Amino acid sequence: DEWSLPCGFVDDALLPADAAKIALKVVDGSEKAPVVEVFVGETDVTIVQDGVFRVDAEGIESSYPDFRVCLPKLSGIPVATFEATELCDALAAATPFVSKSEAVAMVYNGSIRLQLNGEAGSFDAELEGEFDGSLTTLKFNGRYLKQACTTLNGTVRQYVMEGLGPQVFVGAGDIEERVRVVVMPMRL
């Protein structure tokens, strides 16, 4: 069958979470690396995997709030660099110590440390990596940080905003293929 795809593509779109979840289930279940194409039209998004599986979804109106305004400009922001697998492993090791209400702290001071002082005990791990800014401590919801971690691969560059600013994590790869994840920190 030949599918007709929408014309007049735009550069980006917001996709409903349900459509993304359906597409990811099929992609995750594939034994080989699938070819996934995303076609973004003025009002709709089409996801095609290997020419076999297709999801059509109506795009979400993204003019308000303008998510591009909410994201920080990354130039001049201190950068932490570490391996995604190392962060995932440290989070997995900290899991027994984290309850739903407890936050995981990341301490940036030339190096990167993952710390937790919870009801079930304490956890402390140093990640191999480096940070080019001054001492900063950020707390994250452990579940959100773990979700971000599983999305990233290879060497991760985190643009470390002070305070409660959005934390941008950028995965390795060619510039067109880099995954960008935004995680909001918790109040200290």
Short mmCIF file of all heavy atoms in Angstrom, two decimals, residues 24 33 42 66-67 70 72 86 104-105 109 113 116 120 124 140 165 168 186:
data_model
loop_
_atom_site.label_atom_id
_atom_site.label_comp_id
_atom_site.label_asym_id
_atom_site.label_seq_id
_atom_site.Cartn_x
_atom_site.Cartn_y
_atom_site.Cartn_z
N LEU A 24 6.49 3.74 20.69
CA LEU A 24 7.65 3.24 21.41
C LEU A 24 7.52 1.77 21.78
O LEU A 24 8.50 1.03 21.76
CB LEU A 24 7.91 4.06 22.68
CG LEU A 24 8.49 5.45 22.42
CD1 LEU A 24 8.53 6.25 23.71
CD2 LEU A 24 9.88 5.36 21.82
N ALA A 33 17.47 -3.03 14.80
CA ALA A 33 17.29 -1.58 14.88
C ALA A 33 16.30 -1.15 13.81
O ALA A 33 16.56 -1.31 12.63
CB ALA A 33 18.63 -0.88 14.68
N GLU A 42 1.26 20.40 9.34
CA GLU A 42 0.73 21.58 10.04
C GLU A 42 -0.11 21.20 11.23
O GLU A 42 -0.08 21.84 12.27
CB GLU A 42 -0.08 22.44 9.07
CG GLU A 42 0.74 23.12 8.00
CD GLU A 42 1.68 24.16 8.56
OE1 GLU A 42 1.36 24.81 9.57
OE2 GLU A 42 2.77 24.33 7.98
N ASP A 66 4.62 28.71 24.80
CA ASP A 66 5.67 28.50 23.81
C ASP A 66 6.84 27.80 24.50
O ASP A 66 7.61 28.41 25.22
CB ASP A 66 6.12 29.83 23.23
CG ASP A 66 7.10 29.66 22.07
OD1 ASP A 66 7.55 28.52 21.83
OD2 ASP A 66 7.41 30.65 21.41
N PHE A 67 6.95 26.47 24.27
CA PHE A 67 7.98 25.69 24.96
C PHE A 67 9.39 26.14 24.59
O PHE A 67 10.31 25.95 25.35
CB PHE A 67 7.80 24.19 24.69
CG PHE A 67 7.98 23.80 23.26
CD1 PHE A 67 9.22 23.41 22.79
CD2 PHE A 67 6.92 23.81 22.39
CE1 PHE A 67 9.40 23.04 21.48
CE2 PHE A 67 7.08 23.43 21.06
CZ PHE A 67 8.32 23.04 20.60
N CYS A 70 10.58 28.61 27.14
CA CYS A 70 10.84 28.05 28.46
C CYS A 70 12.23 27.43 28.57
O CYS A 70 12.76 27.29 29.66
CB CYS A 70 9.81 26.97 28.80
SG CYS A 70 8.13 27.62 28.84
N PRO A 72 16.25 27.19 28.27
CA PRO A 72 17.32 28.19 28.38
C PRO A 72 18.21 28.21 27.14
O PRO A 72 18.31 27.23 26.41
CB PRO A 72 18.12 27.70 29.58
CG PRO A 72 17.92 26.22 29.58
CD PRO A 72 16.51 26.01 29.09
N GLU A 86 26.71 5.04 33.36
CA GLU A 86 27.19 5.18 34.73
C GLU A 86 26.12 5.83 35.62
O GLU A 86 25.91 5.42 36.76
CB GLU A 86 28.49 5.99 34.76
CG GLU A 86 29.20 5.86 36.07
CD GLU A 86 30.59 6.47 36.04
OE1 GLU A 86 31.10 6.83 34.97
OE2 GLU A 86 31.16 6.60 37.13
N VAL A 104 16.83 12.68 44.89
CA VAL A 104 18.21 12.29 44.64
C VAL A 104 18.98 13.58 44.36
O VAL A 104 18.56 14.39 43.54
CB VAL A 104 18.30 11.33 43.42
CG1 VAL A 104 19.74 11.05 43.07
CG2 VAL A 104 17.53 10.05 43.69
N ALA A 105 20.10 13.77 45.05
CA ALA A 105 20.90 14.98 44.86
C ALA A 105 22.06 14.68 43.92
O ALA A 105 22.68 13.63 43.99
CB ALA A 105 21.44 15.47 46.19
N ASN A 109 31.01 19.65 41.63
CA ASN A 109 32.13 20.39 42.22
C ASN A 109 33.42 19.91 41.54
O ASN A 109 34.24 19.26 42.16
CB ASN A 109 32.19 20.17 43.74
CG ASN A 109 33.21 21.08 44.40
OD1 ASN A 109 33.62 22.08 43.81
ND2 ASN A 109 33.63 20.71 45.59
N ARG A 113 28.70 13.93 41.78
CA ARG A 113 28.34 12.92 42.79
C ARG A 113 26.82 12.76 42.82
O ARG A 113 26.09 13.75 42.71
CB ARG A 113 28.81 13.31 44.18
CG ARG A 113 30.32 13.44 44.31
CD ARG A 113 30.77 13.56 45.74
NE ARG A 113 30.70 12.29 46.44
CZ ARG A 113 31.60 11.30 46.30
NH1 ARG A 113 32.59 11.44 45.45
NH2 ARG A 113 31.49 10.20 47.00
N LEU A 116 22.15 10.47 48.31
CA LEU A 116 20.82 10.33 48.87
C LEU A 116 20.93 10.05 50.35
O LEU A 116 21.72 9.19 50.77
CB LEU A 116 20.08 9.18 48.19
CG LEU A 116 18.75 8.81 48.82
CD1 LEU A 116 17.71 9.86 48.49
CD2 LEU A 116 18.29 7.46 48.35
N ALA A 120 15.63 4.94 54.52
CA ALA A 120 16.17 3.58 54.42
C ALA A 120 17.69 3.55 54.48
O ALA A 120 18.29 2.48 54.51
CB ALA A 120 15.69 2.92 53.14
N ASP A 124 25.89 7.16 48.20
CA ASP A 124 26.81 8.15 47.66
C ASP A 124 27.65 7.49 46.57
O ASP A 124 28.24 6.44 46.80
CB ASP A 124 27.73 8.68 48.76
CG ASP A 124 28.56 9.88 48.33
OD1 ASP A 124 28.75 10.09 47.11
OD2 ASP A 124 29.03 10.60 49.21
N PHE A 140 16.67 16.06 42.38
CA PHE A 140 15.74 15.62 41.35
C PHE A 140 14.81 14.54 41.89
O PHE A 140 15.19 13.78 42.78
CB PHE A 140 16.50 15.00 40.17
CG PHE A 140 17.37 15.97 39.43
CD1 PHE A 140 18.72 16.08 39.74
CD2 PHE A 140 16.86 16.76 38.42
CE1 PHE A 140 19.54 16.96 39.06
CE2 PHE A 140 17.67 17.65 37.74
CZ PHE A 140 19.02 17.75 38.05
N GLY A 165 16.12 26.23 37.58
CA GLY A 165 16.07 26.32 36.13
C GLY A 165 16.02 24.94 35.49
O GLY A 165 16.48 23.95 36.07
N VAL A 168 19.09 20.72 31.11
CA VAL A 168 19.08 20.13 29.77
C VAL A 168 20.19 19.09 29.69
O VAL A 168 21.36 19.40 29.91
CB VAL A 168 19.27 21.21 28.68
CG1 VAL A 168 19.27 20.58 27.30
CG2 VAL A 168 18.19 22.28 28.80
N MET A 186 14.03 19.74 41.89
CA MET A 186 13.13 19.96 43.01
C MET A 186 13.71 21.04 43.93
O MET A 186 14.92 21.28 43.90
CB MET A 186 12.95 18.66 43.79
CG MET A 186 12.35 17.54 42.98
SD MET A 186 12.38 15.96 43.84
CE MET A 186 11.23 16.26 45.16
#
